[in-house]
Amino acid sequence: MKSVLVTGSNGQLGKSIQKVYKKSAKFDFTFTTSKELDITNPELIQDFFKNSNFDYCINCAAYTNVEQAEKEPEKAFEVNAEGVRNLANVCKEKNIILIHISTDYVFDGEQIEPYAVNDVPNPINEYGKSKLKGEEYIQEILTAFFIIRTSWLYNKEFGKNFYKTIIEKAETEEVLYITDVQKGCPTNTENLALFILKLIVSNDTNFGIFHFTDHEVMTWYDFAKRILIENKMINKVKLEKVKNYRTFAARPKNSTLASETNILNNEN
Ligand SMILES: NC(=O)c1ccc[n+]([C@@H]2O[C@H](COP(=O)([O-])OP(=O)(O)OC[C@H]3O[C@@H](n4cnc5c(N)ncnc54)[C@H](OP(=O)(O)O)[C@@H]3O)[C@@H](O)[C@H]2O)c1
């Protein structure tokens, strides 16, 4: 039986892995929260891994507040870069395959076409820069790794995300102003969780960088409309497009990842 550690397991992806893996008895999973295993603390990591025998580490731990990262970039780098380096070092020492989640925000969004894995990253905000640094550390330290870039993660039950925010706002507000400036691929964390588990089950050793999304390209406005229709709320609230929705962090206009690895067409 494969032994798998999941860090940052209280986040929306971590919870989705917990939900999805329960359907299978093929793994011996250890789930750690930020309180149980802070990836920024190298001594703690050494201690935690000392007597362990993990085959895989799925790193779901991250600093994910894109807006706040502009105000405190050092905190984003501490988790998304240095924390990831700590994990990569211990994975090397203990011969553990690291499965790490990265982001569409490593790209600047100026390209017209969807971004392929070999396109050159050029992040335009602190969150993206910190995630790219994490990717670079992994590639310097490890050969046995999967870096999975994904985009616009949401879950209908867990976490704070666009899907749940739209439903909450539609309950209380009359008009929702949603930007249609950026486009990307919303991705359900449960599909990503299934993709990750499949890498493990199949003993995949095709290591490197992957893009995984739910494929369908849309703007935030389109996504909001989809959510309202799906929840039979489209007549409850007025949806207005806005062009100049102001944020601290610059956002890539085109966040679309060419997602050659998709659970839906990768069933063989
Ligand atoms: N959300 C998106 O739209 C999106 C898009 C593309 C890529 N991603 C990437 O996908 C991955 C999963 O994202 P998510 O949406 O599931 O994130 P999330 O819900 O924000 O969860 C992140 C988890 O990391 C934990 N964490 C933070 N600092 C930590 C530390 N020092 N040590 C250990 N754990 C720590 C957090 O714990 P606390 O709850 O205690 O803070 C939280 O449970 C991340 O790598 C993210 O960068 C996300």
Side-chain angles (χ1 to χ4, degrees):
M1 189 183 283
K2 286 175 185 147
S3 176
V4 184
L5 171 68
V6 182
T7 56
S9 63
N10 245 354
Q12 53 176 347
L13 177 60
K15 285 187 174 160
S16 300
I17 294 173
Q18 295 183 60
K19 180 178 171 184
V20 164
Y21 106 100
K22 284 192 179 128
K23 294 177 188 157
S24 147
K26 288 180 190 143
F27 309 107
D28 176 16
F29 265 90
T30 302
F31 292 98
T32 57
T33 65
S34 58
K35 290 200 174 59
E36 290 157 345
L37 181 60
D38 177 350
I39 66 164
T40 66
N41 186 330
E43 289 81 36
L44 200 68
I45 289 182
Q46 278 302 327
D47 206 40
F48 182 88
F49 280 80
K50 199 161 52 195
N51 299 315
S52 70
N53 202 16
F54 298 115
D55 299 299
Y56 289 87
C57 170
I58 306 174
N59 181 32
C60 298
Y63 181 109
T64 56
N65 190 330
V66 178
E67 289 294 279
Q68 192 64 18
E70 295 300 302
K71 298 179 203 159
E72 46 178 32
E74 65 295 339
K75 290 203 176 155
F77 275 80
E78 190 186 4
V79 182
N80 295 342
E82 301 312 317
V84 171
R85 177 161 67 167
N86 295 335
L87 281 181
N89 279 331
V90 78
C91 285
K92 181 169 185 185
E93 202 181 302
K94 305 284 266 176
N95 218 9
I96 298 166
I97 297 172
L98 178 61
I99 302 180
H100 174 72
I101 316 304
S102 192
T103 171
D104 50 331
Y105 278 24
V106 297
F107 296 114
D108 61 19
E110 294 302 321
Q111 182 168 299
I112 306 294
E113 296 299 313
Y115 285 92
V117 285
N118 292 325
D119 283 328
V120 180
N122 181 31
I124 56 173
N125 59 39
E126 296 297 333
Y127 167 75
K129 288 175 193 169
S130 68
K131 293 292 290 185
L132 179 60
K133 191 73 197 159
E135 287 190 6
E136 288 167 356
Y137 279 142
I138 291 173
Q139 291 171 88
E140 277 165 35
I141 296 166
L142 291 172
T143 49
F145 66 85
F146 296 98
I147 293 172
I148 305 170
R149 295 189 189 128
T150 188
S151 63
W152 296 23
L153 284 185
Y154 72 94
N155 187 277
K156 296 179 187 180
E157 288 173 64
F158 313 127
K160 188 172 157 18
N161 60 59
F162 187 80
Y163 192 100
K164 290 175 67 195
T165 302
I166 289 295
I167 294 174
E168 280 160 26
K169 283 187 180 291
E171 297 282 6
T172 54
E173 294 176 25
E174 286 177 5
V175 186
L176 302 186
Y177 298 95
I178 310 288
T179 178
D180 68 343
V181 172
Q182 296 109 28
K183 63 175 180 176
C185 300
T187 302
N188 188 317
T189 48
E190 287 172 30
N191 290 336
L192 176 57
L194 283 169
F195 174 69
I196 292 169
L197 295 191
K198 205 170 160 205
L199 285 178
I200 299 175
V201 174
S202 64
N203 283 317
D204 199 326
T205 52
N206 183 23
F207 299 125
I209 300 178
F210 292 78
H211 288 176
F212 179 88
T213 72
D214 280 347
H215 268 313
E216 209 177 335
V217 180
M218 58 186 88
T219 66
W220 289 113
Y221 175 88
D222 299 331
F223 189 29
K225 193 169 175 187
R226 175 76 64 91
I227 295 163
L228 292 175
I229 292 170
E230 190 175 295
N231 290 279
K232 301 188 173 41
M233 297 175 101
I234 195 71
N235 295 322
K236 194 170 162 33
V237 65
K238 196 167 177 333
L239 206 51
E240 294 270 346
K241 283 182 190 170
V242 285
K243 293 274 176 232
N244 55 352
Y245 187 80
R246 292 184 71 86
T247 54
F248 274 111
R251 310 272 169 155
K253 281 201 286 288
N254 175 19
S255 252
T256 315
L257 298 175
S259 170
E260 58 273 56
T261 47
N262 188 301
I263 194 83
L264 300 174
N265 61 14
N266 194 22
E267 285 302 324
N268 51 350

